[in-house]
């Protein structure tokens, strides 16, 4: 029996939206990099590099929060160790690709071969993020479900908020709002902030990706 989005704890809802934002942005980043490889543009290259830097920070922070807070909390609650080990191993493998993706974006400049590399690597990362997100979402409502409760989700939300870089306070909520449906707003943290900065995020995306979330 499937569980409705709105019935999940808010921290779980936020995680699902974060996964969706990641897998939505990666192909758009790849397409923007491919266009840049064909038609170099210093302004667009700088904007795309900066956008990848922000999204990379958000993904890494997401993984660190799970590694540092959620997995230890689940272990303490007696969660299925095989499920945790699977997700932790996927993080370790994915982080290698994320590091290469980030490095390539920072080296990209106005376009050229680095932009073509970024287009390719973005799709490699996308494939791995899609697979990991599917595994994580399945385990959280499967083998890990007996050990996770609202208090653990609440603690995870608090941990993520306290450890997030300050600039994410305007980027992250708007980023999640951009992929949330009308019945999924419970997963958007700081919803008034998200609405306030939605236009700002759209301008960032337009500059970097040539599209609006």
């Amino acid at each position: 029996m499937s569980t409705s989005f709105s019935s999940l704890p808010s921290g779980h809802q936020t995680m699902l939206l974060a996964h969706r934002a990641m897998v939505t942005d990666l192909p758009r980043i790849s397409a923007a990099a491919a266009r840049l490889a064909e038609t170099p543009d210093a302004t667009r290259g700088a904007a795309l590099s900066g956008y990848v830097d922000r999204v990379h920070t958000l993904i890494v922070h997401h993984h660190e929060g799970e590694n540092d807070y959620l997995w230890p909390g689940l272990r303490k609650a007696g969660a299925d160790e095989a499920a945790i080990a699977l997700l932790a191993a996927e993080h370790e493998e994915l982080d290698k690709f994320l590091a290469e993706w980030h490095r390539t974006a920072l080296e990209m400049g106005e376009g050229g071969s680095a932009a073509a590399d970024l287009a390719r690597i973005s799709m490699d990362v996308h494939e791995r993020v899609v697979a990991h997100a599917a595994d994580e979402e399945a385990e959280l409502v499967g083998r890990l479900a007996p050990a996770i409760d609202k208090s653990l989700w609440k603690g995870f939300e608090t941990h993520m908020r306290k450890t997030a870089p300050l600039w994410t306070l305007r980027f992250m909520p708007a980023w999640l709002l951009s992929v949330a449906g009308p019945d999924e707003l419970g997963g958007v943290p700081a919803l008034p902030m998200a609405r306030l900065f939605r236009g700002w995020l759209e301008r960032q995306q337009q500059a970097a990706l040539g599209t609006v979330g």
Side-chain angles (χ1 to χ4, degrees):
M1 181 177 177
S2 61
T3 303
S4 69
F5 185 96
S6 61
S7 69
L8 297 171
S10 59
H12 196 163
Q13 293 181 33
T14 299
M15 177 183 286
L16 296 180
L17 291 179
H19 288 168
R20 191 185 302 168
M22 294 171 198
V23 302
T24 297
D25 260 358
L26 283 161
R28 298 193 304 184
I29 289 168
S30 177
R35 290 193 297 271
L36 196 62
E38 294 178 359
T39 309
D41 181 295
T43 300
R44 177 60 57 83
L48 181 58
S49 179
Y51 190 80
V52 171
D53 184 48
R54 291 183 180 92
V55 173
H56 173 264
T57 297
L58 292 175
I59 297 175
V60 169
H61 180 243
H62 180 87
H63 286 177
E64 288 176 345
E66 292 169 344
N67 293 340
D68 297 343
Y69 187 92
L70 195 56
W71 304 159
L74 284 166
R75 284 192 173 98
K76 186 176 180 180
D80 188 296
E81 181 57 38
I84 298 174
L86 168 68
L87 300 180
E90 289 182 353
H91 275 186
E92 185 174 358
E93 183 66 17
L94 180 54
D95 285 350
K96 299 174 186 176
F97 286 84
L98 288 168
E100 181 186 12
W101 178 61
H102 186 228
R103 182 174 60 253
T104 303
L106 295 182
E107 294 173 351
M108 184 173 54
E110 67 179 33
S113 61
D117 289 341
L118 181 64
R120 173 184 54 81
I121 296 168
S122 294
M123 292 312 297
D124 289 343
V125 172
H126 177 258
E127 181 180 354
R128 291 173 181 277
V129 168
V130 168
H132 172 63
D135 285 345
E136 191 167 274
E137 291 168 17
E139 296 293 0
L140 286 170
V141 296
R143 290 187 289 179
L144 297 176
I148 194 164
D149 57 21
K150 289 183 178 180
S151 64
L152 185 57
W153 279 118
K154 190 66 176 177
F156 181 59
E157 285 183 282
T158 300
H159 173 82
M160 295 299 285
R161 186 173 62 252
K162 286 183 175 179
T163 56
L166 284 177
W167 65 262
T168 67
L169 297 179
R170 65 174 178 173
F171 190 103
M172 179 72 163
W175 192 52
L176 299 188
L177 179 60
S178 73
V179 298
D183 299 327
E184 298 175 333
L185 300 183
V188 180
L191 185 56
M193 288 283 287
R195 288 172 170 152
L196 178 64
F197 287 103
R198 176 164 44 191
W200 172 84
L201 176 65
E202 289 175 351
R203 291 189 293 275
Q204 300 293 308
Q205 292 176 328
Q206 184 68 48
L209 308 175
T211 186
V212 173

